[in-house]
């Protein structure tokens, strides 16, 4: 079971008629126009997935800005996207898989193993000179049955003590980790004990994931290897999934804190650290 599919492999699948459910998950903090971007142009056959409404519940302080939806809601959405049991699903975006990874993680957590990230996403498809299409595409309804619990998760209580026995990675930009800026959450800084590991460090200049060995070296410098209990958070649980994908490529299992810093910083009883050091 792999994590990535490259553009040539996806194009070959499509050209040979192999059934592939292609999902466009364009979304970024501060850019609410993912659907408009999709309608302007997307990979032919791709169905649009709206991250805020289909991959999250409404924000609430006790659960963060993008709470995970219940399994039955995800199953309804997956069937709407055309997903059937046994399908191969490929998710992409135009931001280095940082939003597509949310869908990848959620389907993996739901027990769906054959889901991949398109390495390099839409920019890699464009660079290959492959065709694009505009307008809305709708799939025939699928019949997939999903579950829960396929991926490890932690809550705020476990995040609070994680550094005592493992490594807690903060996947946000370094300036947010250090508390220099905080554009959306109530307090600036990081969970005490967490190590800064921005998701941008998982990618090369073309927006593709680094090779497995390079990722292993990156995480080793942060104190993480396959034997280290590792957990990840970000602002709202979205880009942390990208870090978990990178860790998986490196052969390192990791747990997600779904509520992430948006949940943590809304709880006045939880301390917040600032500066470049974990403590």
């Amino acid at each position: 079971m792999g994590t990535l599919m490259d553009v040539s492999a996806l194009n070959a699948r499509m050209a040979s008629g192999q059934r592939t459910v292609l999902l466009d998950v364009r979304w970024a903090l501060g850019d609410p126009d993912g659907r408009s971007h999709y309608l302007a142009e997307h990979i032919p056959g791709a169905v649009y997935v709206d991250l805020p409404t289909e991959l999250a519940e409404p924000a609430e302080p006790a659960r963060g800005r993008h709470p995970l939806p219940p399994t039955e809601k995800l199953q309804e959405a997956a069937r709407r996207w055309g997903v059937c049991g046994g399908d191969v699903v490929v998710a992409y975006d135009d931001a280095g898989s940082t939003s597509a990874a949310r869908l990848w993680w959620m389907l993996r957590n739901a027990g769906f193993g054959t889901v991949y990230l398109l390495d390099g996403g839409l920019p890699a498809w464009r660079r290959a000179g492959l065709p694009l299409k505009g307008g809305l595409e709708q799939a025939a309804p699928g019949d997939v049955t999903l579950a829960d619990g396929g991926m490890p998760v932690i809550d705020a209580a476990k995040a609070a003590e994680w550094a005592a026995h493992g490594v807690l990675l903060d996947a946000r930009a370094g300036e947010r980790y250090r508390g220099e800026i905080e554009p959306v959450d109530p307090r600036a800084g990081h969970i005490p004990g967490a190590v800064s590991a921005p998701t941008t460090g998982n990618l090369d200049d073309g927006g593709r994931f680094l090779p497995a060995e390079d990722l292993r070296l990156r995480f080793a410098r942060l104190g993480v290897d396959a034997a280290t209990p590792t957990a990840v958070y970000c602002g709202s649980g979205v880009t942390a999934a990208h870090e978990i994908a990178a860790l998986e490529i490196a052969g390192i299992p990791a747990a997600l804190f779904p509520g992430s810093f948006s949940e943590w910083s809304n709880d006045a009883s939880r301390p917040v650290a600032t500066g470049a050091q974990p403590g």
Side-chain angles (χ1 to χ4, degrees):
M1 181 169 56
T3 308
L4 304 176
M5 184 178 294
D6 64 23
V7 162
S8 61
L10 174 61
N11 188 46
R13 284 189 65 87
M14 294 168 66
S16 65
Q18 295 180 78
R19 180 171 166 80
T20 308
V21 179
L22 189 56
L23 300 177
D24 185 311
V25 199
R26 272 180 278 180
W27 174 88
L29 187 64
D31 181 1
D33 297 321
R35 184 180 181 85
S36 297
H37 301 325
Y38 164 86
L39 291 172
E41 59 177 17
H42 55 265
I43 299 175
V47 173
Y48 182 67
V49 175
D50 186 65
L51 188 150
T53 61
E54 295 185 292
L55 303 182
E57 292 282 273
E60 55 179 284
R63 298 182 66 211
R65 282 185 282 110
H66 291 112
L68 291 172
T71 303
E72 56 269 23
K73 181 176 177 180
L74 177 61
Q75 180 174 283
E76 288 174 8
R79 291 180 176 183
R80 191 165 57 248
W81 306 328
V83 181
C84 296
D87 278 347
V88 168
V89 173
V90 181
Y92 75 89
D93 57 36
D94 60 356
S97 298
T98 51
S99 54
R102 168 77 165 202
L103 185 148
W104 168 84
W105 186 92
M106 286 176 62
L107 285 181
R108 287 284 299 273
N109 185 55
F112 192 92
T114 51
V115 54
Y116 302 87
L117 294 169
L118 179 62
D119 198 15
L122 188 60
W125 185 268
R126 285 196 185 106
R127 286 195 298 270
L130 294 167
L132 294 166
K133 181 179 179 181
L136 181 66
E137 303 202 39
Q138 293 180 310
D143 62 5
V144 70
T145 298
L146 300 179
D148 188 27
M151 299 285 274
V153 298
I154 65 169
D155 58 14
K158 288 186 177 179
E161 54 83 29
W162 197 268
H165 68 279
V167 176
L168 179 63
L169 298 176
D170 184 318
R172 298 172 302 158
E175 57 268 26
R176 290 183 70 190
Y177 170 89
R178 294 188 296 271
E180 295 164 5
I181 63 167
E182 182 44 63
V184 284
D185 292 323
R187 292 184 286 164
H190 57 268
I191 297 175
V195 174
S196 181
T199 53
T200 50
N202 300 325
L203 303 172
D204 65 18
D205 291 341
R208 298 184 61 177
F209 281 89
L210 296 173
E213 182 57 32
D214 290 354
L215 287 170
R216 279 192 287 273
L217 288 172
R218 180 195 187 209
F219 291 120
R221 295 187 193 103
L222 298 172
V224 174
D225 60 23
T228 307
T230 304
V232 187
Y233 74 92
C234 58
S236 66
V238 174
T239 56
H242 185 280
E243 194 103 293
I244 289 173
L247 286 156
E248 179 173 285
I249 294 165
I252 301 169
L256 173 71
F257 174 21
S260 286
F261 195 70
S262 57
E263 175 185 329
W264 183 278
S265 61
N266 267 291
D267 184 346
S269 72
R270 300 285 182 192
V272 170
T274 57
Q277 299 303 314

